[in-house]
Amino acid sequence: MASTAKKSEGIGETIKTVVYALLIAGIFRTLFFQPFWIPSGSMKDTLLVGDFLFVNKMAYGYSQYSCPFGICPISGRILGSEPERGDVVVFRHPVNGQDYIKRLVGLPGDTVQVRNGVLFLNGQRQDQTPDGQFVETYEPQGSVGGLPNCAEPVPLGGECVKERAIEQLEGGTSHAVLNIRDGFGPDNTPIYTVPEESYFFMGDNRDNSVDSRFPQSGGGVGFVPFENLLGRADRVIFSSAGGRMLYFWTWRADRFFKAI
C-alpha cells in the first residue's frame, strides 16, 4: 500500500511540474516574447523562409490579442507605446485571425500610394537606390515547400533573380526591397488614407506580398487596428533553409542572431 501511495504521489508531482512549466511558458509568451517562424517569402530579403525569431511583445503594450486565441480580458490597449515607421511587426489579421509579419509604412493620418512600384507617403516619393540583385535557388523552400517567384522563368535548381533596391522611409529606416518585374503585382494603387488608431503595412518583397495594398474584402490585409499589433521583430535567432529544423546541413549560420 505504501508503495502504491508513493507512486501516486510521484505521478501527482510530475503533473504539477508539467502544469507549472506550461503556466510559466504561457506567461512568458504572453508578456515578453513570442516565437515566430517565417513561412513565406513576402519579407525577403529582410526575412527568409525558415527564419526563426522572437517577437518583442513589450514594444507596443498589450491587447486582447496578446494572449493565445485572443482571450486576454483587455479592452483596447494597455501600457502601449506607438510603433515607428519602418518597424517590422507581427500582427493579427483583422478578419481571418492569422498572424502576419510585415513592415509598417503608413501611420495614422498618412496618405499612402504606390506608383510604378515606388512608394509615396503624404505625396512624397520615398527614395529607392538600386542595389544589385537578390539571387536564390529556384527550389521548394521551408516546410511548406513553396517555390519563389523570379523575374524570368528558370528550371528547378536554377538561379532565381530579382532586382534589389534600398528604400529610405521618411522619418523611418532604410531597408532592402525587391522587385520581381515591372507591372507584376500591385505596382500601382489608389491613394489610401490611414484611419486613426490604424496602420498600413507592406512586405519588402513588394511583388510577392499580400498586405495593406489589398482590401480585406478581397482577401487582403487592409488597415490594421492598433490593438491587433502583437509585437516588434528585432532579431533572427535561428535560420534553416530546409524542410525540417533538424536538417543541420541546411542551417544558415550567417543569420543566427542577425538584427532585423
Side-chain angles (χ1 to χ4, degrees):
M1 295 294 291
S3 176
T4 303
K6 285 183 179 180
K7 194 173 291 186
S8 298
E9 287 179 10
I11 294 173
E13 288 300 318
T14 300
I15 293 173
K16 282 183 184 179
T17 301
V18 171
V19 170
Y20 290 153
L22 290 174
L23 284 174
I24 292 170
I27 292 170
F28 184 86
R29 182 184 186 278
T30 299
L31 295 181
F32 303 111
F33 298 96
Q34 175 179 332
F36 193 85
W37 281 99
I38 302 302
S40 72
S42 70
M43 282 295 293
K44 291 176 181 176
D45 62 348
T46 303
L47 296 171
L48 304 181
V49 176
D51 282 351
F52 175 77
L53 50 88
F54 282 104
V55 179
N56 181 356
K57 301 188 77 171
M58 299 175 285
Y60 311 131
Y62 306 94
S63 72
Q64 71 174 92
Y65 300 109
S66 298
C67 292
F69 312 110
I71 60 173
C72 278
I74 299 173
S75 177
R77 198 166 196 96
I78 62 173
L79 304 176
S81 57
E82 298 289 332
E84 297 181 1
R85 194 192 315 278
D87 284 357
V88 176
V89 180
V90 173
F91 58 87
R92 186 68 46 83
H93 191 286
V95 176
N96 66 30
Q98 294 181 342
D99 291 347
Y100 281 51
I101 185 166
K102 307 287 180 184
R103 189 176 299 277
L104 192 160
V105 299
L107 301 172
D110 282 347
T111 61
V112 182
Q113 186 181 29
V114 179
R115 303 181 201 164
N116 299 318
V118 177
L119 176 64
F120 284 75
L121 295 175
N122 302 312
Q124 299 298 312
R125 185 184 190 277
Q126 307 301 290
D127 289 336
Q128 288 187 6
T129 304
D131 190 45
Q133 297 176 326
F134 174 70
V135 182
E136 58 187 334
T137 304
Y138 186 67
E139 62 184 0
Q141 298 183 341
S143 58
V144 177
L147 292 168
N149 286 315
C150 314
E152 300 291 342
V154 295
L156 199 65
E159 288 191 344
C160 179
V161 178
K162 289 178 269 289
E163 294 178 359
R164 187 177 189 268
I166 301 299
E167 179 178 79
Q168 175 64 56
L169 293 178
E170 176 186 346
T173 59
S174 62
H175 55 273
V177 294
L178 302 183
N179 177 51
I180 296 175
R181 54 183 175 271
D182 294 337
F184 186 78
D187 276 350
N188 291 279
T189 72
I191 297 175
Y192 298 100
T193 301
V194 185
E196 291 300 315
E197 296 292 318
S198 295
Y199 297 91
F200 193 99
F201 289 91
M202 293 175 63
D204 291 347
N205 191 0
R206 292 287 166 81
D207 291 339
N208 190 34
S209 175
V210 177
D211 48 41
S212 293
R213 292 171 292 175
F214 298 87
Q216 294 169 9
S217 59
V221 172
F223 303 119
V224 179
F226 186 26
E227 67 176 359
N228 286 57
L229 273 55
L230 299 182
R232 186 182 63 222
D234 294 328
R235 190 174 295 274
V236 174
I237 303 300
F238 172 84
S239 185
S240 173
R244 296 287 185 274
M245 184 178 68
L246 295 178
Y247 295 169
F248 64 88
W249 57 90
T250 67
W251 292 356
R252 305 182 184 107
D254 60 326
R255 294 188 65 78
F256 288 14
F257 304 104
K258 181 180 176 65
I260 296 173

